[in-house]
Amino acid sequence: NIYFPPQPSFAMNCISPRLFVSPRNLLRHFHRANRPSCQLLSSTPASQTCDEGGHPQPDFRPKRIILIRHGESQGNVDQNAYVTTADWRIPITNLGKKQAQEAGKQLREKISEKDAKVVFYFSPYLRTKQTLDEILPYFDDNEILSVLEEPRISEQQIGNFQNVQQVLDAKAERSKFGRFFYRFPSGEAGLDVYSRVSSFIPTLVRDCDQYVREGHDLDNLNLVIVTHGLALRLFLMRWFQFSVHDFEESQNPENCELVTMSKKKDSCGHAWLELEEKDRLSLCLPGNCGVPRNVQLHRLQRLYETEECK
């Protein structure tokens, strides 16, 4: 995965707190709404590995990153919903609520380890907040470190109050032009979403750094990102650095489908995140898109690394 060096502690203090505003869980999680504190510990975090010279090298990768597309929304079943309702205020349907509850059960089964901790990130859109509302009750308070709103993982902007036929015509044109570079007349191109999602990744790294400084073991940490189909795929595109062509051949996950990136380690101490095989196939991504490029480089140098590890 891409390595982002740790920032000085004074820079960490400049991160603004972000509030979780979903009404039902506001009071329950308000005390977790801020970023982790900048308290420094003298002990070496358990998640650190050592380089060839025996010097500690921090690993900023959590145990898992799990991406979840929101539950079925009113806009998914009726395009006319966008005519009078702002996109970011479109709610989920009754089916979407059931899908979110099922996602909560699946997430609970996946994150079942003793001492597991969870950090939730969510798009400010109503449909992602409502999806998260159905997921949170499956976790105890002491398991959740933070619940953070993140505007950079919002849906692609395609206009304000929308004319249905104009949007349908634009989407038809996009299918011919390509989703990544096509720009909606009053909105964003896929490239714009890619850029803002890319800027979110260093934030994840800095947050993980802060949790390590607070004494948390990243091998017990799970990051759960509740977002939208396109933003989810572009996050994966940036993380794994696959091509525009591979992105164009991919497809969105189903509503509330869990897409999981799990930490892997080799005998030399290298760590990375891999996309689970079933999720890669579900998204119609080729095999090389689920493993970071530098991991393939390590595998090419396996003989040399093995000798160095002895």
Side-chain angles (χ1 to χ4, degrees):
N1 303 351
I2 304 169
Y3 174 72
F4 296 93
Q7 302 297 314
S9 58
F10 69 84
M12 303 297 182
N13 291 319
C14 298
I15 301 175
S16 300
R18 297 186 291 183
L19 299 180
F20 177 54
V21 295
S22 187
R24 194 177 78 182
N25 292 296
L26 178 59
L27 293 179
R28 180 183 176 204
H29 296 284
F30 183 82
H31 64 287
R32 298 193 191 88
N34 295 328
R35 289 288 182 196
S37 70
C38 294
Q39 178 184 5
L40 299 178
L41 302 181
S42 58
S43 60
T44 301
S47 59
Q48 283 191 344
T49 58
C50 293
D51 63 15
E52 296 163 6
H55 304 293
Q57 294 295 311
D59 172 20
F60 297 107
R61 300 169 186 84
K63 182 178 183 64
R64 301 182 188 93
I65 296 178
I66 303 172
L67 301 110
I68 306 175
R69 184 188 176 192
H70 60 79
E72 180 189 75
S73 72
Q74 193 61 44
N76 291 146
V77 297
D78 181 12
Q79 291 281 343
N80 290 306
Y82 298 106
V83 175
T84 57
T85 305
D87 189 8
W88 66 283
R89 290 174 171 164
I90 296 287
I92 58 175
T93 63
N94 289 333
L95 175 59
K97 182 176 180 178
K98 294 178 181 178
Q99 291 171 335
Q101 292 168 351
E102 180 60 29
K105 293 178 184 178
Q106 294 177 12
L107 194 63
R108 175 74 279 180
E109 292 173 358
K110 185 178 288 287
I111 305 174
S112 59
E113 300 87 359
K114 182 182 178 181
D115 300 325
K117 300 296 181 183
V118 190
V119 176
F120 290 95
Y121 299 88
F122 65 97
S123 158
Y125 278 49
L126 179 59
R127 51 187 178 270
T128 50
K129 291 180 180 180
Q130 290 178 331
T131 299
L132 183 58
D133 269 345
E134 302 301 326
I135 292 174
L136 286 175
Y138 289 91
F139 294 87
D140 295 332
D141 283 356
N142 60 3
E143 296 177 292
I144 303 175
L145 296 182
S146 295
V147 180
L148 300 167
E149 180 176 295
E150 178 48 70
R152 288 171 291 181
I153 57 174
S154 297
E155 180 65 284
Q156 181 180 18
Q157 307 300 295
I158 62 176
N160 297 320
F161 293 109
Q162 300 167 20
N163 179 290
V164 174
Q165 191 55 52
Q166 289 179 355
V167 172
L168 292 175
D169 291 344
K171 288 183 176 180
E173 184 179 38
R174 180 181 65 175
S175 66
K176 299 177 182 178
F177 189 90
R179 296 178 69 94
F180 188 78
F181 290 113
Y182 181 83
R183 180 178 300 281
F184 283 93
S186 299
E188 292 180 301
L191 175 59
D192 299 322
V193 183
Y194 175 84
S195 296
R196 54 180 167 84
V197 168
S198 295
S199 73
F200 171 54
I201 292 177
T203 299
L204 290 182
V205 175
R206 289 194 295 271
D207 285 355
C208 286
D209 176 40
Q210 292 289 17
Y211 290 121
V212 169
R213 292 169 184 266
E214 287 190 337
H216 294 289
D217 185 354
L218 293 187
D219 286 340
N220 293 329
L221 182 64
N222 299 268
L223 306 185
V224 178
I225 302 172
V226 185
T227 182
H228 308 264
L230 185 73
L232 186 155
R233 287 191 290 145
L234 290 169
F235 179 94
L236 294 175
M237 179 183 177
R238 181 66 184 93
W239 190 282
F240 293 110
Q241 300 180 24
F242 54 80
S243 69
V244 171
H245 176 267
D246 289 331
F247 167 78
E248 293 290 350
E249 295 296 313
S250 69
Q251 64 183 27
N252 279 345
E254 298 294 331
N255 293 108
C256 282
E257 180 178 346
L258 273 60
V259 176
T260 305
M261 302 158 60
S262 300
K263 183 188 285 189
K264 307 292 182 182
K265 293 182 179 180
D266 64 18
S267 59
C268 293
H270 299 119
W272 64 93
L273 291 170
E274 282 190 15
L275 186 63
E276 290 192 357
E277 181 70 4
K278 64 178 181 61
D279 298 330
R280 181 185 66 78
L281 294 173
S282 174
L283 297 171
C284 296
L285 289 169
N288 64 301
C289 292
V291 180
R293 289 181 181 177
N294 60 342
V295 172
Q296 300 190 29
L297 175 62
H298 290 323
R299 288 172 178 171
L300 289 174
Q301 297 176 338
R302 184 185 297 255
L303 292 178
Y304 298 101
E305 292 174 347
T306 301
E307 289 298 321
E308 291 171 354
C309 287
K310 290 181 179 178

